[in-house]
C-alpha cells in the first residue's frame, strides 16, 4: 500500500507536488481514500490534468460502479479532464452526471464553458421540440433542465434580468420570461442592477427598460411569427397586469403604467391585430385625468403612424359607440382654387392655401382623439409644416427644363416627376403655373402622369382635394381629355392616402359610371391607394367587375387595387385572383394581379408560405416575378434567413431576367433597416455579368437603407454610376438619392455633381438622363423637409411606405407608378402640440451641434448670360504687320493719358473708402462672422415646429426651463405637451395673423419700389 502524507502550512492542507502520488490512492480498497484522492485531484486539476488523463479508465470505472458512494465527484473530475483535452461533448456528458456539484456561481473558464454548452444544448433541444409542436419538459434531458433552472435563478438573484430574458426567449421558456419581468418590476433600481442603460431611460426602474429589451430582442432574434406573437401576448398581459403580475403598491388601472410601457403595449396590440383592446386603453386614458388624456393623444398618434387603416377604422368604430356624434370626417372648404391644368387654364396661387389654424373652435376630447386616429389632425400638422418651411430650389428645375430637348417625352415626364417630388405635400405648384406652355406638351399617358403629380404636390390636403382637382375630374359638362380625368382620380387617391373616409364613394361613382379604360385605370389606382389596407369588401367587388372586363389597361390597375385594399390580410380572395391570372391572356393584368397578391401577403411571414410556394413554382414567369415580391413583402424588415436563401436561389437560377432582377431587388425589403447586411448580401451580385441583377442590387441598396446615408451602400453604388448599361446607371442614381435624402450637404455633393453632369448631356443614354432627373427630385423631396422611411418613430413598419416603394419599382413597366414613392416620404419634423392639438410657439428644444451642420443645401446660383466670344478672323501676314505698326503708334499716344487716369483713380472720392480700407473692413467682417459661428457652433435653439433630419436626432434635447414638458419625449414626430404653467397665455405657431406675404422659407420678400407718378396721354 502506498502512503502519501500531506503536511500543514498555516493550518491549511497543502496541494500535492505531483498527481502521480494522489492517483495511487484510487487503487486503494478503502472508499474514504478514493474520495480523498478525488477531492485532491478536483482541487488541483488545473495543474495535473495531463497526469490525470492517463488514469481516465480508472476514474471511469469508479463512476460506473454503482456501489461507489461519490460517483458525482468522479463525474466532475472526468468532466474537467475532458474539458482540458478539448472534448467538450464528453465534458458536458460527465458534467450532467455530476448533478449539484456543478457550481453555476463559479467564474472560472471551466464553469463558463460548461454552462454555455448546457445552454446551447438545452435551447437546441427546446427549439427542435418547438418545431415538432411538443414543448413538454419530458422531451428535454432532465439533468440539463436542473442546471438551466439554477442558472435562471442565479441571474434573477443577481438582478441580471437581461440575461434571464435572453435565455428564456432563446429556450422558449415563456414561464421564465414572465417570472423575470415580474421579478424586475419588484426590484427597485439600485447600483447592483444589471439592466444598465435601459433602466436609466425611465424613472420606472428595471421594469420599463426590460420590456423594451424584450421587444427588441424578440424582433431581432425570433424568426417565427407565431412564437413572436406569443411573447407579445405575454408582454401585454404583464404590462396591463391581467395575469396578477402588477408590481406591489401600483395603482389599479392603465393610467398607472409608465409611458414607455404604454407605447410598447399599443405597438404589441397593433402587431397582434387587437384594435378592441387598444381602443379600451385609449378610452380608459381619455376619460382619466388631464395627464392621461395627453397620453391618450400621444398613443393615438402612434396608431395613425403605423398606417394600418383596418386597425384604425376598428378603433374609430369603438370610439364612435362611446360618442356617436364624433364622425371626424373631413369636409370641403369652399373657395379653394384649383391647381394648374396640363392643358392650359391658369388658376390663382394655392401654395399657402389652408394656412389657417388647425383648431378653430374648442372640441371635446373624444372628437380630438377620433381625428388623430383617422389622420385628419396629424396630416394637417405635417402639411402645415411642409408648406411653411418649403425650401425647394426652383432654379434646379429651371436648369433641368432648359437642358431637356423640347420633343424628349421621357425627360419631360421625368422633369414633371421631379417637380412633383420636390414640392410633395407643400401645395406649391408655382413651377407648373409658370410653365403652362411647356406642361401642355404632355399628351396621352404623359398627361395622365402629369395630372397625377398634382396629387403628390397636394398630398395631405384632404379638405380641399375635390376643389383643387375640380378642373380635371370627369364631368358630363366638360369634354376634357380622359387622360387628365383618369389622372385626377389617381391624384385624389394620392391626396387621401391612408385616409379613405369620405373619398371612396366619390371615386366609386366615377368608376361605375364610365366604360373608358383610362378613367377606370385612374379610379382603380386612386381607390387602392386611398383605401390601402382598409379591407373594404364592397369596393373590392366593384373593382373585381372591372378586372373581369378583361381590359388590359384597366385590368392591370384593378389587380393592383384589389391587392392594396386587402394588404396584409391574407384574405381567401387571393385564390380567386390567382385563378383569374391563369385564365387571362393579358400580361399587364397578370402583372397587376401578381403584385396585388404580393401586397395581400404583406407582413404575414410564414403564414404566406403557401401562396409564395404556389407563385414561385408557377410556369408563368410573371407570377414568379410576383412571387419574389410576395417573399419580400411577407418578410419585410425581418432579415429572415429562409427568405434570403429563397431570393438568392432565384437570383442565380431562374431563366427569366425579370424574376432574377426582382429576386435581388426584394432583398432590400427583407433587409429593410439593415443596410450594412444588405451590402454584404449583394456585393457580389453587383458585379454580375447580368445587368438586370446589377440593377436589382442597386435598388436593393436604396430600399434597405432608405434615408440612412449608409457609407458602405454609397460606396458600392458609386461603382455603378458608370456602369456599361444605361438602366443600371439609372437604378444606381435613383438608389443613391434614396439613401442620401436629407443627409448633410457634404455627403450629397458628389451625387449632385454627377446629376448636373448627366441630365443635360445629350451624349448620355436617355435612360441614364431620366434616372439623373428622377434622382434630383427624390434628393430634394417635399421642399427638402422629408426623408424616405419605412419605419415609424417607435420602431414599427409603415405599411403605406413599404407598399409605396413596392409600387414605385414597377415603373420599370409602367412609368405613372413613379409617383407612389411619395407614400414613403416622412416629414423630418419635430412638432409639439398641447391639449388642443395646436403647436405652441414658445416650445423650444436645443440642438447640441453647429447650425450649419444640418442646414439646407445652398441654393443653385443663377447663371449669368455671357456674350459668346467671336472666333478670330483669318489674316494675311502683311496685313497683320501693318495693323501692328498702327497699334504701336496709337499706344504711345495713349500711355500718358493712362498714367494720369490711374493717378486720379488712386485718390478716393469724398465719402468713399480706399481699397486698403475696404480690404480691412472685409477682413473684420469675416473675422466677426467666424467668431459668431464659433460662439454658436456647439448649440442652437430649435423652434416649434422644427426641422430635425435623421442624423440630427441624437443631438436634440429639451430645454430645462421650458414650460412645456412632453408626456413622452422623442427626437422626431409629433409630441404631446403638458403645460406646467396653465395660467399663462399661449401663442400658437399656426395662426391666421401670420402674413400671407411670407415666402416658403419663412423670409419676408423684398418690397417692390412704387412707380413714379405720371400722366397718361392716349395716343
Amino acid at each position: 500500500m502506498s502512503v502519501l502524507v500531506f503536511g500543514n502550512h498555516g493550518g491549511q492542507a497543502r496541494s500535492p507536488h505531483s498527481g502521480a502520488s494522489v492517483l495511487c490512492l484510487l487503487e486503494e480498497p478503502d472508499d474514504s481514500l478514493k474520495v480523498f484522492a478525488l477531492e485532491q485531484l478536483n482541487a488541483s486539476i488545473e495543474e495535473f490534468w495531463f497526469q490525470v488523463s492517463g488514469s481516465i479508465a480508472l476514474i471511469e470505472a469508479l463512476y460506473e460502479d454503482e456501489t461507489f458512494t461519490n460517483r458525482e465527484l468522479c463525474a466532475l473530475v472526468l468532466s474537467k479532464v475532458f474539458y482540458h483535452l478539448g472534448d467538450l461533448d464528453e465534458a458536458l456528458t460527465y458534467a450532467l452526471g455530476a448533478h449539484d456539484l456543478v457550481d453555476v456561481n463559479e467564474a472560472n473558464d471551466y464553469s463558463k464553458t460548461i454552462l454555455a454548452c448546457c445552454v446551447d444544448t438545452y435551447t437546441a433541444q427546446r427549439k427542435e421540440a418547438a418545431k415538432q409542436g411538443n414543448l413538454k419538459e419530458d422531451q428535454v434531458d432532465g439533468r440539463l433542465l436542473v442546471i438551466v433552472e439554477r442558472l435562471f435563478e442565479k441571474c434573477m438573484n443577481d438582478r441580471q434580468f437581461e440575461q434571464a430574458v435572453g435565455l428564456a426567449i432563446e429556450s422558449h421558456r415563456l414561464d421564465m420570461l414572465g417570472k423575470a419581468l415580474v421579478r424586475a418590476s419588484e426590484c427597485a433600481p439600485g447600483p447592483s442592477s444589471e439592466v444598465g442603460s435601459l433602466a436609466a431611460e425611465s424613472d420606472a426602474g428595471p421594469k420599463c427598460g426590460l420590456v423594451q429589451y424584450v421587444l427588441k430582442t424578440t424582433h431581432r432574434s425570433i424568426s417565427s411569427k407565431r412564437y413572436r406573437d406569443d411573447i407579445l401576448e405575454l408582454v401585454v398581459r404583464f404590462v396591463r397586469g391581467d395575469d396578477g403580475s402588477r408590481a406591489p403598491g401600483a395603482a389599479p388601472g392603465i393610467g398607472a403604467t409608465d409611458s414607455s410601457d404604454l407605447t410598447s403595449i399599443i405597438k404589441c396590440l397593433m402587431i397582434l391585430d387587437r384594435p378592441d383592446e387598444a381602443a379600451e386603453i385609449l378610452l380608459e386614458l381619455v376619460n382619466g385625468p388631464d395627464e392621461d388624456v395627453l397620453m391618450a393623444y400621444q398613443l393615438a398618434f402612434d396608431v395613425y403612424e403605423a398606417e394600418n387603416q383596418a386597425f384604425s377604422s376598428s378603433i374609430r368604430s369603438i370610439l364612435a359607440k362611446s360618442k356617436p356624434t364624433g364622425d371626424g370626417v373631413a369636409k370641403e372648404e369652399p373657395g379653394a382654387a384649383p391647381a394648374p391644368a396640363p392643358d392650359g387654364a391658369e388658376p390663382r396661387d394655392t401654395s399657402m392655401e389652408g394656412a389657417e389654424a388647425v383648431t378653430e373652435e374648442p372640441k371635446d376630447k373624444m372628437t380630438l382623439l377620433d381625428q388623430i386616429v383617422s389622420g385628419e389632425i396629424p396630416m394637417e400638422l405635417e402639411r402645415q409644416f411642409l408648406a411653411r418651411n418649403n425650401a425647394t430650389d426652383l432654379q434646379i428645375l429651371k436648369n433641368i427644363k432648359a437642358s431637356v430637348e423640347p420633343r424628349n417625352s421621357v425627360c419631360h415626364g421625368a422633369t414633371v416627376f421631379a417637380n412633383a417630388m420636390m414640392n410633395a405635400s407643400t401645395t406649391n405648384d408655382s413651377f407648373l403655373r409658370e410653365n403652362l406652355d411647356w406642361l401642355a406638351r404632355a399628351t396621352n399617358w404623359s398627361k395622365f402622369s402629369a395630372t397625377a403629380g398634382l396629387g403628390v404636390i397636394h398630398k395631405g390636403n384632404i379638405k380641399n382635394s375635390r376643389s383643387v382637382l375640380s378642373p380635371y375630374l370627369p364631368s358630363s359638362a366638360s369634354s376634357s381629355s380622359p387622360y387628365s380625368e383618369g389622372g385626377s382620380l389617381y391624384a385624389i387617391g394620392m391626396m387621401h392616402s391612408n385616409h379613405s373616409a369620405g373619398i371612396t364613394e366619390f371615386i366609386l361613382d366615377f368608376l361605375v359610371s364610365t366604360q373608358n379604360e383610362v378613367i377606370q385605370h385612374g379610379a382603380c389606382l386612386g381607390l387602392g391607394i386611398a383605401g390601402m389596407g382598409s379591407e373594404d369588401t364592397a369596393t373590392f367587388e366593384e373593382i373585381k367587375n372591372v378586372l373581369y372586363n378583361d381590359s388590359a389597361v384597366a385590368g392591370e390597375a384593378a389587380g393592383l387595387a384589389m391587392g392594396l385594399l386587402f394588404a396584409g390580410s391574407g384574405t381567401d380572395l387571393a385564390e380567386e385572383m390567382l385563378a383569374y391570372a391563369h385564365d387571362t391572356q393579358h400580361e399587364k393584368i397578370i402583372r397587376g394581379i401578381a403584385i396585388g397578391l404580393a401586397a395581400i401577403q404583406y407582413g404575414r411571414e410564414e403564414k404566406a408560405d403557401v401562396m409564395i410556394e404556389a407563385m414561385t413554382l408557377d410556369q408563368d414567369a410573371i407570377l414568379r416575378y410576383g412571387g419574389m415580391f410576395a417573399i419580400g413583402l411577407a418578410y419585410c424588415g425581418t432579415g429572415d434567413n429562409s427568405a434570403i436563401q429563397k431570393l438568392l436561389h432565384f437570383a442565380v437560377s431562374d431563366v427569366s431576367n425579370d424574376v432574377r432582377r426582382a429576386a435581388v431587388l426584394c432583398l432590400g425589403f427583407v433587409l429593410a433597416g439593415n443596410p450594412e447586411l444588405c451590402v454584404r448580401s449583394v456585393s457580389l451580385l453587383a458585379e454580375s455579368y447580368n445587368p438586370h441583377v446589377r440593377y436589382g442590387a442597386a435598388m436593393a441598396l436604396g430600399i434597405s437603407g432608405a434615408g440612412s446615408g449608409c457609407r458602405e451602400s454609397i460606396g458600392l453604388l458609386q461603382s455603378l454610376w458608370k456602369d456599361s448599361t444605361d438602366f443600371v446607371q439609372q437604378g444606381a442614381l435613383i438608389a443613391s438619392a434614396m439613401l442620401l435624402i436629407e443627409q448633410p450637404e457634404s455627403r450629397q455633393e458628389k451625387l449632385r455633381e454627377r446629376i448636373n453632369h448627366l441630365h443635360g448631356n445629350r451624349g448620355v443614354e436617355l435612360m441614364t438622363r431620366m434616372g439623373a432627373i428622377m434622382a434630383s427630385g427624390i434628393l430634394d423631396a417635399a421642399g427638402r423637409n422629408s426623408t424616405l422611411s419605412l419605419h415609424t418613430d417607435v420602431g414599427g413598419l409603415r405599411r403605406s411606405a413599404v407598399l409605396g416603394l413596392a409600387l414605385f419599382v414597377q415603373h420599370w413597366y409602367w412609368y405613372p407608378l413613379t409617383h407612389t414613392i411619395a407614400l414613403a416620404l416622412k416629414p423630418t419634423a419635430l412638432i409639439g402640440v398641447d391639449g388642443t392639438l395646436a403647436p405652441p410657439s414658445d416650445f423650444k428644444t436645443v440642438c447640441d451641434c453647429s447650425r450649419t451642420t444640418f442646414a439646407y443645401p445652398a441654393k443653385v446660383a443663377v447663371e449669368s448670360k455671357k456674350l459668346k466670344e467671336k472666333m478670330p478672323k483669318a489674316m494675311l501676314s502683311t496685313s497683320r504687320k501693318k495693323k501692328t505698326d498702327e497699334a504701336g503708334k496709337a499706344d504711345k499716344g495713349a500711355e500718358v493719358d493712362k498714367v494720369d487716369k490711374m493717378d486720379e483713380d488712386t485718390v478716393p472720392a469724398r465719402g468713399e473708402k480706399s481699397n486698403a480700407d475696404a480690404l480691412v473692413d472685409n477682413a473684420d467682417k469675416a473675422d466677426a462672422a467666424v467668431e459668431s459661428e464659433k460662439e454658436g457652433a456647439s448649440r442652437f435653439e430649435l423652434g416649434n415646429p422644427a426641422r430635425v433630419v435623421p442624423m440630427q436626432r441624437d443631438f436634440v434635447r429639451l430645454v430645462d426651463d421650458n414650460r412645456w414638458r412632453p408626456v413622452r419625449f422623442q427626437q422626431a414626430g409629433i409630441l404631446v405637451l403638458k403645460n406646467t404653467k396653465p395660467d399663462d397665455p399661449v401663442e400658437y405657431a399656426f395662426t391666421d395673423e401670420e402674413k400671407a406675404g411670407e415666402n416658403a422659407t419663412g423670409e419676408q420678400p423684398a418690397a417692390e419700389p412704387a412707380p413714379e407718378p405720371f400722366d397718361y396721354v392716349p395716343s
Side-chain angles (χ1 to χ4, degrees):
M1 182 178 77
S2 301
V3 179
L4 180 64
V5 179
F6 295 93
N8 288 330
H9 181 72
Q12 296 180 356
R14 295 177 57 188
S15 299
H17 296 287
S18 173
S21 57
V22 179
L23 291 171
C24 293
L25 295 177
L26 296 177
E27 300 177 0
E28 296 295 331
D30 190 354
D31 286 352
S32 61
L33 291 176
K34 296 177 182 178
V35 172
F36 177 79
L38 291 171
E39 291 174 349
Q40 292 298 317
L41 292 175
N42 182 51
S44 57
I45 196 70
E46 296 287 338
E47 302 176 27
F48 305 125
W49 64 266
F50 54 90
Q51 292 179 312
V52 179
S53 63
S55 301
I56 285 180
L58 182 59
I59 303 176
E60 286 180 337
L62 284 176
Y63 172 69
E64 294 173 359
D65 186 0
E66 296 182 359
T67 62
F68 186 62
T69 55
N70 276 23
R71 298 177 60 207
E72 292 82 2
L73 185 56
C74 292
L76 182 60
V77 172
L78 287 170
S79 176
K80 291 184 177 181
V81 172
F82 279 111
Y83 162 74
H84 285 288
L85 291 173
D87 192 345
L88 295 183
D89 292 336
E90 287 293 330
L92 176 60
T93 301
Y94 283 108
L96 295 178
H99 298 298
D100 295 340
L101 294 182
V102 177
D103 190 358
V104 297
N105 295 312
E106 288 186 358
N108 54 47
D109 292 340
Y110 165 76
S111 296
K112 292 179 181 178
T113 304
I114 291 300
L115 289 177
C117 292
C118 287
V119 170
D120 292 342
T121 305
Y122 181 75
T123 54
Q125 292 181 9
R126 292 283 297 178
K127 288 180 179 179
E128 185 62 29
K131 290 181 180 179
Q132 298 175 0
N134 186 4
L135 280 174
K136 296 180 181 180
E137 293 299 340
D138 56 5
Q139 301 296 317
V140 180
D141 191 329
R143 299 173 301 174
L144 273 176
L145 180 61
V146 171
I147 295 179
V148 172
E149 294 277 1
R150 287 160 51 198
L151 191 56
F152 272 122
E153 193 63 29
K154 174 186 179 296
C155 292
M156 295 182 199
N157 290 337
D158 294 344
R159 302 180 69 179
Q160 297 174 339
F161 297 113
E162 288 183 2
Q163 294 186 20
V165 163
L167 178 56
I169 291 175
E170 282 291 321
S171 59
H172 290 250
R173 290 294 300 273
L174 295 181
D175 57 331
M176 283 298 175
L177 176 59
K179 185 176 180 180
L181 290 172
V182 173
R183 290 279 293 273
S185 66
E186 294 171 351
C187 295
S192 62
S193 175
E194 296 294 335
V195 180
S197 61
L198 293 173
E201 293 177 1
S202 173
D203 296 334
K207 172 187 172 182
C208 169
L210 199 59
V211 169
Q212 301 297 322
Y213 179 76
V214 169
L215 297 180
K216 291 179 181 178
T217 303
T218 302
H219 176 74
R220 182 174 61 247
S221 60
I222 303 302
S223 59
S224 171
K225 179 175 175 57
R226 181 177 301 175
Y227 181 42
R228 270 205 313 272
D229 290 348
D230 291 340
I231 296 176
L232 298 182
E233 171 71 27
L234 184 144
V235 171
V236 170
R237 292 200 312 269
F238 166 72
V239 175
R240 299 192 66 181
D242 294 342
D243 56 354
S245 61
R246 187 177 297 279
I254 197 67
T257 309
D258 183 81
S259 62
S260 297
D261 283 348
L262 284 174
T263 302
S264 300
I265 194 174
I266 291 295
K267 180 180 176 181
C268 292
L269 291 174
M270 286 190 288
I271 296 174
L272 295 171
D273 195 20
R274 295 185 180 176
D276 52 341
E277 296 184 32
E280 180 184 344
I281 293 174
L282 294 177
L283 285 172
E284 187 174 344
L285 289 172
V286 82
N287 291 322
D290 292 342
E291 196 163 344
D292 287 356
V293 174
L294 298 179
M295 191 65 213
Y297 293 160
Q298 186 69 72
L299 297 178
F301 281 116
D302 294 342
V303 171
Y304 162 75
E305 193 182 12
E307 299 177 349
N308 188 335
Q309 276 204 77
F311 191 88
S312 301
S313 299
S314 299
I315 290 181
R316 294 187 65 200
S317 300
I318 298 173
L319 296 179
K321 294 177 182 177
S322 301
K323 189 178 184 303
T325 57
D327 53 7
V329 178
K331 297 181 180 180
E332 285 288 332
E333 285 192 3
D343 50 355
E346 181 178 0
R348 66 181 178 84
D349 187 3
T350 62
S351 61
M352 290 299 294
E353 193 168 59
E356 69 284 344
V358 176
T359 54
E360 298 179 356
E361 58 183 14
K363 298 179 181 179
D364 62 88
K365 297 180 291 186
M366 293 297 297
T367 300
L368 291 176
L369 188 65
D370 178 80
Q371 290 179 342
I372 296 173
V373 176
S374 69
E376 184 176 344
I377 288 178
M379 290 173 74
E380 179 65 15
L381 287 170
E382 292 174 350
R383 192 191 64 80
Q384 290 274 4
F385 166 77
L386 293 173
R388 295 169 183 273
N389 296 275
N390 183 14
T392 299
D393 188 358
L394 293 181
Q395 188 61 39
I396 296 177
L397 286 172
K398 292 177 182 178
N399 292 344
I400 293 175
K401 170 181 170 292
S403 65
V404 173
E405 306 90 309
R407 298 186 179 275
N408 191 331
S409 61
V410 173
C411 291
H412 183 279
T415 307
V416 172
F417 165 81
N419 170 69
M421 284 297 294
M422 288 184 181
N423 295 285
S425 300
T426 64
T427 68
N428 179 18
D429 49 25
S430 59
F431 179 78
L432 299 180
R433 289 183 288 102
E434 294 170 0
N435 299 278
L436 291 174
D437 293 339
W438 172 83
L439 186 63
R441 295 173 184 168
T443 58
N444 299 334
W445 287 108
S446 296
K447 180 178 291 187
F448 176 94
S449 183
T451 310
L454 296 174
V456 177
I457 295 174
H458 292 270
K459 182 176 177 290
N461 190 11
I462 58 178
K463 295 182 179 179
N464 306 307
S465 58
R466 301 183 196 181
S467 54
V468 166
L469 293 172
S470 58
Y472 332 111
L473 291 171
S475 174
S476 58
S478 63
S479 58
S480 60
S481 168
Y483 294 97
S484 60
E485 292 178 349
S488 68
L489 296 177
Y490 181 15
I492 205 169
M494 290 290 299
M495 295 172 70
H496 285 259
S497 61
N498 199 38
H499 187 86
S500 60
I503 203 64
T504 300
E505 295 79 5
F506 178 77
I507 304 178
L508 270 178
D509 291 341
F510 294 112
L511 179 66
V512 300
S513 62
T514 184
Q515 295 298 320
N516 188 293
E517 62 179 6
V518 178
I519 298 177
Q520 288 179 339
H521 184 91
C524 288
L525 290 178
L527 286 170
I529 292 172
M532 187 180 298
S534 62
E535 301 181 19
D536 188 344
T537 305
T539 304
F540 182 90
E541 292 298 326
E542 292 293 345
I543 296 176
K544 186 172 69 173
N545 294 334
V546 176
L547 177 69
Y548 285 172
N549 289 335
D550 208 38
S551 168
V553 174
E556 180 183 26
L560 291 171
M562 292 164 70
L564 293 176
L565 285 174
F566 280 84
S569 66
T571 177
D572 294 336
L573 298 172
E575 298 292 340
E576 186 177 352
M577 296 171 61
L578 182 60
Y580 188 79
H582 288 128
D583 293 339
T584 185
Q585 300 298 316
H586 295 290
E587 290 187 357
K588 291 175 70 67
I589 295 179
I590 298 174
R591 184 172 293 109
I593 292 176
I595 301 302
L597 290 172
I600 290 175
Q601 307 305 322
Y602 165 80
R604 302 189 72 236
E605 299 183 33
E606 64 263 23
K607 295 180 180 178
D609 286 345
V610 175
M611 178 59 70
I612 288 174
E613 184 176 3
M615 296 179 70
T616 55
L617 298 180
D618 200 284
Q619 294 183 354
D620 193 331
I622 299 178
L623 287 176
R624 295 201 305 276
Y625 171 87
M628 301 303 104
F629 281 92
I631 297 173
L633 296 180
Y635 291 92
C636 183
T638 64
D640 186 81
N641 287 331
S642 63
I644 295 174
Q645 290 174 3
K646 290 178 183 177
L647 292 173
L648 290 175
H649 169 72
F650 282 99
V652 299
S653 63
D654 201 277
V655 296
S656 170
N657 284 329
D658 291 344
V659 176
R660 298 180 68 177
R661 182 181 68 250
V664 181
L665 185 149
C666 287
L667 287 171
F669 287 107
V670 177
L671 298 172
N674 195 349
E676 293 81 7
L677 181 56
C678 187
V679 171
R680 295 198 295 271
S681 301
V682 305
S683 57
L684 291 178
L685 295 172
E687 301 175 1
S688 171
Y689 73 93
N690 191 324
H692 293 266
V693 173
R694 299 199 300 272
Y695 175 90
M699 294 304 297
L701 294 172
I703 294 170
S704 66
S708 68
C710 176
R711 295 181 183 274
E712 294 83 357
S713 300
I714 293 297
L716 187 55
L717 286 171
Q718 286 179 348
S719 64
L720 298 176
W721 287 357
K722 298 181 180 181
D723 193 274
S724 58
T725 306
D726 53 356
F727 62 78
V728 176
Q729 296 182 42
Q730 180 192 87
L733 291 169
I734 293 174
S736 299
M738 293 169 66
L739 282 161
L740 292 174
I741 182 174
E742 284 293 75
Q743 295 295 309
E745 185 178 8
S746 59
R747 303 190 65 181
Q748 297 179 344
E749 185 177 2
K750 289 185 179 180
L751 178 60
R752 291 189 184 276
E753 291 176 356
R754 185 65 181 170
I755 290 173
N756 293 334
H757 170 71
L758 292 175
H759 68 69
N761 190 341
R762 301 189 182 186
V764 176
E765 294 291 340
L766 194 59
M767 289 293 98
T768 303
R769 295 177 62 190
M770 174 186 173
I773 297 172
M774 292 177 66
S776 179
I778 295 172
L779 202 58
D780 295 329
R784 295 175 172 175
N785 290 303
S786 288
T787 186
L788 287 174
S789 176
L790 300 184
H791 294 84
T792 65
D793 293 327
V794 295
L797 283 172
R798 297 174 57 216
R799 177 175 299 190
S800 297
V802 174
L803 296 177
L805 281 184
L807 291 175
F808 167 73
V809 296
Q810 307 308 316
H811 75 266
W812 178 281
Y813 303 101
W814 192 231
Y815 64 88
L817 293 176
T818 53
H819 297 299
T820 57
I821 194 176
L823 299 176
L825 292 177
K826 180 178 175 57
T828 50
L830 180 63
I831 307 174
V833 296
D834 63 359
T836 65
L837 300 183
S841 58
D842 55 342
F843 170 62
K844 305 294 183 183
T845 51
V846 172
C847 183
D848 292 326
C849 66
S850 171
R851 185 184 296 273
T852 58
T853 304
F854 302 106
Y856 291 113
K859 297 283 186 178
V860 175
V862 180
E863 297 181 1
S864 59
K865 296 182 179 179
K866 298 180 180 179
L867 296 176
K868 296 182 179 180
E869 297 182 359
K870 296 182 179 180
M871 295 295 293
K873 295 181 180 180
M875 187 180 297
L876 296 175
S877 58
T878 53
S879 300
R880 182 182 294 107
K881 183 178 180 181
K882 181 179 180 181
K883 189 173 182 179
T884 302
D885 294 340
E886 294 176 353
K889 294 178 182 179
D891 289 343
K892 290 180 180 180
E895 187 171 352
V896 176
D897 296 338
K898 183 177 180 181
V899 172
D900 295 340
K901 183 68 170 60
M902 290 175 62
D903 292 339
E904 293 176 1
D905 290 343
T906 57
V907 180
R910 181 178 297 178
E912 295 181 355
K913 294 183 179 180
S914 65
N915 292 337
D917 293 337
L919 290 174
V920 172
D921 289 345
N922 290 338
D924 292 340
K925 292 179 181 179
D927 292 340
V930 170
E931 291 299 325
S932 176
E933 176 65 23
K934 286 182 179 179
E935 292 176 0
S938 60
R939 180 182 303 171
F940 68 97
E941 195 174 75
L942 296 172
N944 185 34
R947 173 181 179 262
V948 179
V949 300
M951 290 186 64
Q952 187 180 357
R953 294 176 183 176
D954 293 338
F955 301 95
V956 176
R957 60 178 177 83
L958 292 172
V959 178
D960 295 334
D961 58 347
N962 202 310
R963 65 183 284 193
W964 302 99
R965 309 301 298 178
V967 296
R968 186 196 71 205
F969 181 65
Q970 57 192 37
Q971 288 86 356
I974 300 176
L975 303 181
V976 180
L977 307 173
K978 178 184 178 181
N979 189 356
T980 60
K981 300 177 181 179
D983 296 332
D984 294 352
V986 181
E987 294 183 2
Y988 294 103
F990 300 159
T991 59
D992 291 330
E993 287 77 12
E994 185 171 346
K995 296 180 180 180
E998 284 193 348
N999 59 21
T1001 60
E1003 299 175 354
Q1004 193 72 16
E1008 294 289 340
E1012 295 293 335
F1014 64 94
D1015 294 329
Y1016 173 68
V1017 179
S1019 57

